[in-house]
Each structure stands twice: as C-alpha cells, then as structure tokens.
Amino acid sequence: RASGTVFIRSIIPPVSLLGATGVVLCGARAAGPEAVVRAVNVEGSVRLAEAARDAGVRTFVFLSSSSAKGDAPTAYGRSKIEAERALFALKGIDVIVIRPNLVVGPGGRGLFARMRALVERLPVLPVPGTGSPVQPIHVDDLAEGVFRAIEGAPRFKRRVFDLGSREAVSLGDLLRRAADAAGKRPLIVPLPVRPVELAARAAEALGLPFPFGSGNLAGLRTAAALPTQESLEALGLALRPLVEALRDRGDPVATPPLDRRPVRLLVVGTGRMGLLHAVTAARMRGVVVTGLVDVRRSAARAVRRLGVAAPVFGSLEEALSRAPAPDAAIVATASASHLPHACTLLEGGLAVLVEKPLATAPAGAEAFAALRARYPGKLLDGYVLPRVPAVAEWIAALHSGRLG
C-alpha cells in the first residue's frame, strides 16, 4: 500500500486534482508478477480515487477491461475486477466503470496497432486466435463515451458500461478488413493460441521482443461476446462504421510551440547517471520524459519502477520513430557511443546533453567541437564541478590556506 501511494503521488501531485470535477483513469499494468499488477491496478487505482475525492472531485471514471473477471486467466483481468469492486465501495465520490473491448484507430501502441502493422508488412501472417470474437470501438468513440458518462453522473454512479460494436466479428475477419482498408492482401494463417501464449511468456521472461503479449493471448483464448447494446443506448453513443474506424490513421497534428507545452525529453542510457537524469526530469515542471532507451531493457524497466512513466525502447532508432517526437535528449551511455548517438540526435533536430566524459581520445573531442560549431546552441556536455574554473579557483584558495 505504501509503495502504491508513493508511485501515484510521484506521478500525479495531489495539487493537480484541485478544481477538477472529474478524473479518468486510463493507465494500468498489463503484465508482470501478480503482486506488482495488483499493486498498480488495484491499490494504485483506489489511492488515486481517494486523492481525487479528498481534493473535491465528484466523478471518477475507471477504464477497466472486457477481461475483468474473477476467474480471468491473467493477473490483469483479475486485478481489474478487484479494482472495480474496491472503487465501488468508496464513499464520497461517484465511480463509473467503462469496459472497452478492442480499441482501434490511429496510434502505434496496443494489440490492434501491433497486429495491423504486421498485416501491412508481411505477405503471410500467422495469427493466433483468429476465431476469437472481438467488438471493436474507435478510440474517439470511446472518448466520447467517457465524456458522456461524466456528464451523466451522478445518475451513472456505480454503473458498468461495456463498450464495443453491437455485433462481434472474429479476429481473423477484423484483420482481413484492416488489410483491405490498407490495400493489402496478406495470407492469414490461423494458429492455436496456447502454444503462442507459452512462447510469449518465455520471451517476456527473457526480456525478448514478441509481437503479442501473453496477457493479450490469454484474453483471446477466453474471449466471449459482450452485450454492449444496453450500454451504448444508455450513453446515447452511436459508433462509426467499422470500415471507417479501420481506415483512420490519424490526421497530422501540428506540434504546439515549446512555450505552450512541456519539453519532451528522451533519456538514452539508463545506468547510474541515466537513472538520476530520468528520475530528476520526471519530477521537473515543464518536462515530460517521453522515452527511455537502453539495449538492456531490464535496466530501463527498473527506472520505470522508480516512477518514471515513460515507454522503453531497445534502440535509438526505435525511439525516434515513435510519436510524439522528443525536443531534447540526454546521452548517458558508454563513452564510446557518445559521438554516434549525439550525431543521430542532432541531425534529428534535438538539443543534446552528453554526459561526461564527452570523449576518451583527442579525435573524439575534436569531432565534438566540430559538432558544436555545426549545431550552435544545441550541444551541451556534462562536467565535474571541481573542474569549473571559478570553482577550481576557490578550491585552490581553500587548499592554500587563504580562506582560513
């Protein structure tokens, strides 16, 4: 419970809740040890709701899951139903639960986004659970449902809304329609879910990338169609046609100027110095850590456990290919990689701070000097405080006895 409180408060200061009339909790821990999943999804959710209530918030909307069941095959599903019950037991705040089914639309994260990327890239696609029923909902329709639920409070308090298409389609059919929307014709090969789920668990245990999460696969194995019509009618929510939802890749959105948004910071290298930078930046006003980059994903995930809520990437190229684009980066990797990382980041238009030592040989230092001249005001380097001339002068005076 204590760790849950520290985590929530490190990300969401209680003062940020003052003046709000509603809070929507979308975040969750989807995989990991059951104790960790429960600490985030149950205890963290309750702590946030309590903090919202204490700040005078009237309505708390909890985005749960269609897999929320007491006998769910995953810790995620079990934690979601436990969180729902714990939130409904709270006094002094109107709690509304929304259980979305498969969310589709623009974006590069989530089960559908990963599957759509594979459909568009591969001529032959082995897919587990092609017969599993899914009830897609576009992300904007889901957001509209959330707003309508808040507007309907307190009439909707202690209500559970199942949101998704009225009619279920098979996962295989959905992927074929997604391929049609993208002008692709891949051969979709059905696979049994259980063996792929076991392979996914093994990959997760070893920290290896895998197209599907084990939790997603377990959910497909036990998926069942839900009666969404009553919830859609209660909210007055009309979903866009599936073909339109699948074609939506998102319109380009102009990035607001820096004086109207936080600085987006990428931390490259999550060893001792990278950890310090990431944790410090995550607590600074006007800064958002948008990514942690380390070939050792386990090291980056350790930084996340300290409250840095940023995605983890195994390479710099992967991080820079994701939106939103960062404005600045801190390079805290091994010294030999400082120069190539700095070149890549500067060429991408970022401001860059490179940790000490900048380089380990004169040639490297000269290359950095050339970079600084080529990108004026964009390249900074870390330093040891006693080496700063003004500080060094006072240290020398102290050692000479002139200061007593």
Side-chain angles (χ1 to χ4, degrees):
R1 295 170 72 92
S3 62
T5 301
V6 171
F7 178 78
I8 291 296
R9 287 183 178 173
S10 68
I11 302 301
I12 306 173
V15 67
S16 66
L17 299 169
L18 296 176
T21 57
V23 168
V24 182
L25 177 56
C26 306
R29 180 69 180 258
E34 180 134 13
V36 175
V37 173
R38 185 183 180 281
V40 174
N41 296 351
V42 181
E43 298 185 13
S45 300
V46 171
R47 299 298 164 265
L48 179 58
E50 290 174 336
R53 177 195 60 196
D54 295 344
V57 175
R58 296 194 301 270
T59 307
F60 187 87
V61 178
F62 178 64
L63 259 66
S64 185
S65 167
S66 57
S67 66
K69 302 171 186 174
D71 60 351
T74 63
Y76 174 72
R78 293 189 294 273
S79 70
K80 283 293 190 176
I81 191 67
E82 184 181 353
E84 290 180 13
R85 293 165 178 164
L87 289 168
F88 280 151
L90 292 179
K91 305 295 184 183
I93 189 167
D94 296 333
V95 174
I96 301 170
V97 168
I98 292 179
R99 296 176 181 167
N101 204 269
L102 183 66
V103 180
V104 302
R109 303 180 67 183
L111 176 62
F112 175 74
R114 293 195 296 272
M115 287 187 169
R116 179 172 61 185
L118 292 174
V119 162
E120 295 177 358
R121 190 168 67 244
L122 301 177
V124 179
L125 179 61
V127 177
T130 52
S132 301
V134 292
Q135 293 164 278
I137 180 170
H138 189 276
V139 63
D140 289 347
D141 292 337
L142 174 58
E144 178 66 22
V146 170
F147 289 129
R148 293 188 180 207
I150 293 175
E151 290 171 354
R155 180 165 53 97
F156 292 145
K157 69 178 179 180
R158 297 176 58 81
R159 180 82 177 263
V160 176
F161 293 101
D162 293 305
L163 295 188
S165 61
R166 285 177 167 80
E167 300 295 330
V169 297
S170 71
L171 178 61
D173 186 30
L174 179 70
L175 292 178
R176 290 185 188 93
R177 297 190 194 190
D180 287 342
K184 304 290 184 179
R185 296 290 186 276
L187 174 62
I188 296 178
V189 180
L191 292 179
V193 176
R194 187 59 177 168
V196 183
E197 181 186 343
L198 294 174
R201 291 186 188 281
E204 290 166 356
L206 296 172
L208 301 175
F210 200 79
F212 313 110
S214 61
N216 294 134
L217 293 165
L220 290 175
R221 183 162 47 84
T222 59
L226 297 173
T228 60
Q229 183 167 343
E230 181 182 348
S231 295
L232 295 173
E233 291 177 352
L235 293 172
L237 192 60
L239 304 187
R240 68 197 64 198
L242 181 57
V243 64
E244 179 184 332
L246 295 177
R247 284 177 178 163
D248 184 15
R249 304 304 296 266
D251 297 324
V253 178
T255 301
L258 274 175
D259 61 354
R260 293 174 51 196
R261 63 171 175 84
V263 173
R264 300 168 182 157
L265 177 68
L266 189 67
V267 178
V268 186
T270 54
R272 183 171 63 88
M273 292 307 301
L275 181 151
L276 291 174
H277 282 299
V279 171
T280 300
R283 287 158 174 73
M284 293 175 62
R285 287 184 178 274
V287 177
V288 174
V289 179
T290 57
L292 303 169
V293 183
D294 204 309
V295 293
R296 305 163 303 151
R297 289 178 181 264
S298 59
R301 285 193 288 266
V303 177
R304 282 179 54 89
R305 287 195 289 272
L306 295 176
V308 181
V312 172
F313 304 103
S315 70
L316 188 55
E317 291 70 22
E318 180 189 5
L320 294 176
S321 69
R322 301 293 181 89
D327 306 300
I330 295 175
V331 177
T333 56
S335 299
S337 62
H338 284 178
L339 185 57
H341 285 338
C343 287
T344 299
L345 293 163
L346 289 166
E347 289 169 1
L350 280 69
V352 181
L353 167 66
V354 181
E355 256 300 338
K356 59 185 183 298
L358 194 64
T360 56
E366 292 170 2
F368 269 110
L371 279 179
R372 181 173 280 113
R374 183 178 177 185
Y375 300 99
K378 288 284 191 176
L379 178 61
L380 303 173
D381 55 272
Y383 57 84
V384 179
L385 190 61
R387 300 289 185 182
V388 177
V391 177
E393 181 179 340
W394 284 103
I395 292 175
L398 181 63
H399 287 166
S400 69
R402 285 188 287 129
L403 297 180

